[in-house]
Amino acid sequence: MIVRSFKDIEGTDRHVNAKSGTWESKRIVLAKERVGFSLHETTLYAGTETSMWYANHIEAVLCVEGEAELTNDETGEKYTITPGTMYLLDGHEKHTMRIKEDFRCVCVFNPPVTGREDHDENGVYPLLTEPESEPETV
């Protein structure tokens, strides 16, 4: 059993600040736990825009605070995302988030991320893996 709080991981290598400066992510469950998914709390900052394309991952996002406009860059469809709204990128859709007020969300990735990922020039997370070893329990 693993018990961990977001407070426990603040300032550690699990607390990732994007090179773009548009978001930060607290990655509370990672690939090294070997449970088949990763779980994060991510905050995207008001007034920013981030284009993403999870070519290697499926992501589910549940908004818990704030407001954003989600655009499916492939179809042009736009959605307002507010607390209690979930979106699922089950087709590896290219998308853009325009943040109206600080947007805090809980995200699940499959396959799980390692914690070292950041978006590349195409908005993609590389498919990184962990070496075979015992899962981390702390």
Side-chain angles (χ1 to χ4, degrees):
M1 179 185 301
I2 298 170
V3 177
R4 181 181 295 135
S5 74
F6 288 118
K7 189 119 183 111
D8 293 339
I9 63 174
E10 285 181 9
T12 72
D13 61 351
R14 289 175 177 264
H15 188 174
V16 177
N17 290 289
K19 289 178 259 176
S20 66
T22 62
W23 57 265
E24 68 178 273
S25 183
K26 296 174 185 171
R27 297 166 177 186
I28 200 161
V29 176
L30 292 171
K32 64 176 99 182
E33 275 84 50
R34 304 210 183 282
V35 294
F37 64 91
S38 58
L39 177 66
H40 322 170
E41 177 189 65
T42 299
T43 301
L44 293 96
Y45 305 124
T48 65
E49 181 175 307
T50 303
S51 293
M52 297 168 269
W53 175 34
Y54 295 118
N56 302 308
H57 300 84
I58 300 295
E59 182 190 29
V61 178
L62 175 64
C63 175
V64 295
E65 184 178 347
E67 183 177 338
E69 179 186 80
L70 166 66
T71 301
N72 180 332
D73 295 337
E74 298 170 10
T75 66
E77 293 173 285
K78 294 179 187 295
Y79 306 89
T80 298
I81 309 296
T82 56
T85 305
M86 183 278 309
Y87 64 92
L88 177 66
L89 301 164
D90 59 338
H92 305 281
E93 296 87 356
K94 293 180 180 179
H95 60 288
T96 300
M97 294 292 290
R98 290 175 186 85
I99 310 305
K100 297 176 188 246
E101 55 186 61
D102 281 358
F103 183 86
R104 191 168 54 91
C105 54
V106 175
C107 311
V108 176
F109 279 85
N110 186 357
V113 302
T114 66
R116 302 183 309 269
E117 294 82 358
D118 198 345
H119 298 108
D120 68 13
E121 65 279 357
N122 297 310
V124 174
Y125 276 175
L127 186 57
L128 303 178
T129 58
E130 290 290 341
E132 290 298 319
S133 65
E134 291 298 312
E136 181 180 305
T137 59
V138 177

